[in-house]
Amino acid sequence: MIFVVRFTYLFFSAVLSIACSSTQGGPIESVNELREFQGLQLAPLVSADQCRESLALSRPVSSAAIDSSNIKILNWNIKKGEEQGWALDLQRLSKGTSLVLLQEAAFSMDLPTHVEKTPFAAFSPGYINKDDITGVVTFSEVRPVQHCRLGAVEPWLGTPKSTNVTRYALSNTEHELMVVNIHAVNFSFGLLSYHAQLNEIADLLSDHQGPVIVSGDLNTWRRGRQQALLTSMQSLGLQTVKFANDLRKTVFGMPLDHIFTRGLSVEEAVVFDVSSSDHNPMTVSFALSQ
């Protein structure tokens, strides 16, 4: 019975996604298309090896740094701004944040005007249709010292997914904060594509010596996916952020959105119940571990 329910969910979700994305093509790669994203910092689509090489390059020390004693993040799948009230909720919840990580962010939403005091935006485009472009975006109060993006493809639908990788200077430490903003592949029978996406992230994080935040919509709607995610994160020394008021979006009783960290202590973690998306936003306050 459980298998039948799951298969039905996947089937109708896939049909709906195909209908909604019938005009979508592949990842945006042309320079002319990327120039349309004025005000957003974009990085070329690269392999995990290329991203690792880029992150390993020496670079000038940034004068602007995130306060290592007060790192507050907001993570939210904002559902392309399809529900009413998203702008007010985003303005309210982004106040006082160091980083805002959004999935299903649409260019047409003019997001920079709705995010409080986080002027730098690293955008990783994924889907494109004749009217809009969506992907994942990481807003920050300081400019990232480096930014690269990884791509994946939905096995059933052939549509792209993006992972945003950014790195920031921190106060009172020589180490930098690496932030991974991910929207994981969703519709697949097996775990091959899911493992591949997680392995790319693991390759990057295994080389990074500083603190880490991995956050996003991980689409852990079945036990096998959840176990794969937890195993991958634990093998890298990352801990799950737990919420006392756990109002995260669930499917089959399992939360889809997660935040993991390494080298940081959790000061506060809250999930907000909203009607402005089908996912509830999460805020977490961190401090550099002593």
Side-chain angles (χ1 to χ4, degrees):
M1 177 61 72
I2 294 175
F3 175 81
V4 173
V5 172
R6 287 179 175 172
F7 180 82
T8 303
Y9 167 79
L10 286 173
F11 177 78
F12 284 105
S13 296
V15 170
L16 178 60
S17 296
I18 292 171
C20 292
S21 60
S22 59
T23 59
Q24 289 170 338
I28 307 161
E29 291 304 324
S30 81
V31 173
N32 289 334
E33 286 175 318
L34 293 181
R35 283 176 181 162
E36 295 177 9
F37 289 90
Q38 296 179 4
L40 300 183
Q41 182 188 36
L42 294 114
L45 184 67
V46 297
S47 68
D49 287 340
Q50 291 171 320
C51 187
R52 186 189 307 108
E53 291 170 3
S54 171
L55 294 171
L57 293 175
S58 61
R59 54 204 172 277
V61 177
S62 173
S63 59
I66 294 175
D67 181 357
S68 62
S69 67
N70 183 26
I71 307 168
K72 183 177 180 180
I73 76 165
L74 164 66
N75 182 88
W76 192 16
N77 181 324
I78 203 165
K79 200 189 174 187
K80 308 182 188 71
E82 294 173 352
E83 306 297 336
Q84 292 185 350
W86 67 265
L88 289 176
D89 282 338
L90 182 58
Q91 289 172 358
R92 171 174 61 91
L93 296 172
S94 64
K95 287 182 179 178
T97 57
S98 311
L99 299 158
V100 176
L101 287 70
L102 302 178
Q103 302 87 45
E104 292 195 34
F107 179 59
S108 61
M109 297 168 72
D110 194 18
L111 286 166
T113 64
H114 302 294
V115 178
E116 289 282 331
K117 297 182 180 178
T118 45
F120 300 101
F123 188 78
S124 290
Y127 300 106
I128 177 173
N129 62 29
K130 61 184 178 64
D131 299 317
D132 212 351
I133 304 165
T134 64
V136 297
V137 61
T138 303
F139 290 93
S140 57
E141 62 180 350
V142 303
R143 186 183 299 278
V145 295
Q146 246 170 347
H147 171 211
C148 60
R149 64 186 176 103
L150 306 175
V153 177
E154 286 283 1
W156 282 18
L157 308 178
T159 49
K161 284 273 171 61
S162 282
T163 300
N164 219 5
V165 182
T166 47
R167 202 146 72 168
Y168 304 90
L170 286 175
S171 67
N172 303 316
T173 178
E174 63 181 10
H175 294 300
E176 294 170 343
L177 171 66
M178 180 178 285
V179 178
V180 178
N181 181 359
I182 179 173
H183 192 186
V185 295
N186 195 8
F187 301 112
S188 61
F189 273 121
L191 293 172
L192 186 63
S193 297
Y194 197 71
H195 275 297
Q197 201 174 14
L198 293 177
N199 288 342
E200 283 192 323
I201 296 170
D203 287 344
L204 296 177
L205 297 184
S206 62
D207 290 340
H208 181 66
Q209 300 303 310
V212 172
I213 297 172
V214 176
S215 185
D217 178 357
L218 277 301
N219 278 317
T220 46
W221 46 265
R222 69 182 178 94
R223 208 165 295 280
R225 284 171 164 257
Q226 189 170 76
Q227 189 57 54
L229 174 64
L230 294 177
T231 299
S232 177
M233 295 296 103
Q234 289 170 0
S235 71
L236 296 164
L238 274 76
Q239 303 296 317
T240 304
V241 173
K242 297 181 180 179
F243 301 89
N245 66 329
D246 199 346
L247 302 174
R248 288 177 293 171
K249 166 72 176 290
T250 62
V251 173
F252 304 124
M254 288 176 238
L256 303 184
D257 305 301
H258 300 267
I259 301 176
F260 298 89
T261 190
R262 186 181 72 198
L264 300 172
S265 58
V266 177
E267 305 293 309
E268 184 181 39
V270 182
V271 184
F272 295 87
D273 189 12
V274 300
S275 59
S276 50
S277 173
D278 58 347
H279 288 247
N280 283 331
M282 308 177 289
T283 64
V284 182
S285 295
F286 299 99
L288 187 67
S289 297
Q290 300 301 316

